[in-house]
Amino acid sequence: IRTTAQLENLNGNDVDLAIRHGPGSYPGLDSLLLFRPSLIVVAGPSLLKHPLQSPAECRNYPLLQDRDHAEWTAWFEANDVRPAVAAARGVSYADDALLIQAAAAGQGLALVRDVYAGDALAAGTVIRAYDGRMPLADAYYAVARPDRLSSHKVSAFRDWLREEAEAA
């Protein structure tokens, strides 16, 4: 098992299977959907005592930003809400783990991938600030060359990944 942010070449002999985040269309590879994240709004319990009743209410709170400052604007548009000026401004964080920590500390509302927020939600360090979610276009896939799936070890590992993703 090797973890890397680099896109692995599956045409060599080193890699039997990879997990890719993207559109799912990988020419020459067998692609199995593992899960498709959604964006959800979370906040620290000190900031919000009760969930918001509408997406528009998010405009009344500081909005913690992703690295690109793009997700809040897209989220407001997907919910037919005219975004506040603050939708593209504010403190930004490099990844969802940092956004979740900032939300837990009461710094504002964070828009994060549901798969990354599960532990913090279960622990109660953050709450769902609004019940809605925005499914993302890209998803996580297990990809392999079709000839590699004839190996029992590779197909068993892929099946295990699928079962774990379905259980999450």
Side-chain angles (χ1 to χ4, degrees):
I1 295 179
R2 177 173 44 211
T3 61
T4 177
Q6 303 300 325
L7 191 63
E8 290 288 345
N9 178 5
L10 296 178
N11 290 322
N13 291 324
D14 289 355
V15 180
D16 294 315
L17 184 136
I19 298 174
R20 290 200 177 155
H21 179 253
S25 175
Y26 304 102
L29 300 176
D30 182 273
S31 179
L32 172 70
L33 174 66
L34 296 174
F35 57 89
R36 182 176 310 282
S38 293
L39 290 176
I40 61 171
V41 182
V42 298
S46 64
L47 182 69
L48 267 184
K49 299 300 180 202
H50 304 287
L52 303 174
Q53 298 301 307
S54 75
E57 288 181 74
C58 292
R59 298 179 300 187
N60 300 327
Y61 294 87
L63 302 177
L64 304 174
Q65 301 290 333
D66 65 295
R67 178 182 335 164
D68 300 327
H69 289 255
E71 289 180 344
W72 274 110
T73 299
W75 189 83
F76 280 125
E77 289 172 0
N79 283 285
D80 296 322
V81 174
R82 184 172 178 205
V85 173
R89 290 193 318 223
V91 179
S92 68
Y93 295 89
D95 62 38
D96 281 8
L98 296 173
L99 277 167
I100 293 166
Q101 287 179 353
Q107 294 179 12
L109 302 180
L111 191 58
V112 297
R113 281 145 191 80
D114 54 357
V115 297
Y116 299 147
D119 289 343
L121 288 166
T125 56
V126 295
I127 62 169
R128 291 281 303 268
Y130 176 71
D131 195 38
R133 59 181 54 237
M134 184 178 106
L136 296 172
D138 289 343
Y140 290 88
Y141 296 87
V143 296
R145 289 190 348 228
D147 63 307
R148 295 289 175 106
L149 292 175
S150 62
S151 162
H152 173 69
K153 290 178 184 178
V154 175
S155 63
F157 183 65
R158 187 176 88 150
D159 290 345
W160 176 81
L161 283 172
R162 180 183 40 77
E163 291 167 8
E164 290 295 310
E166 288 172 355

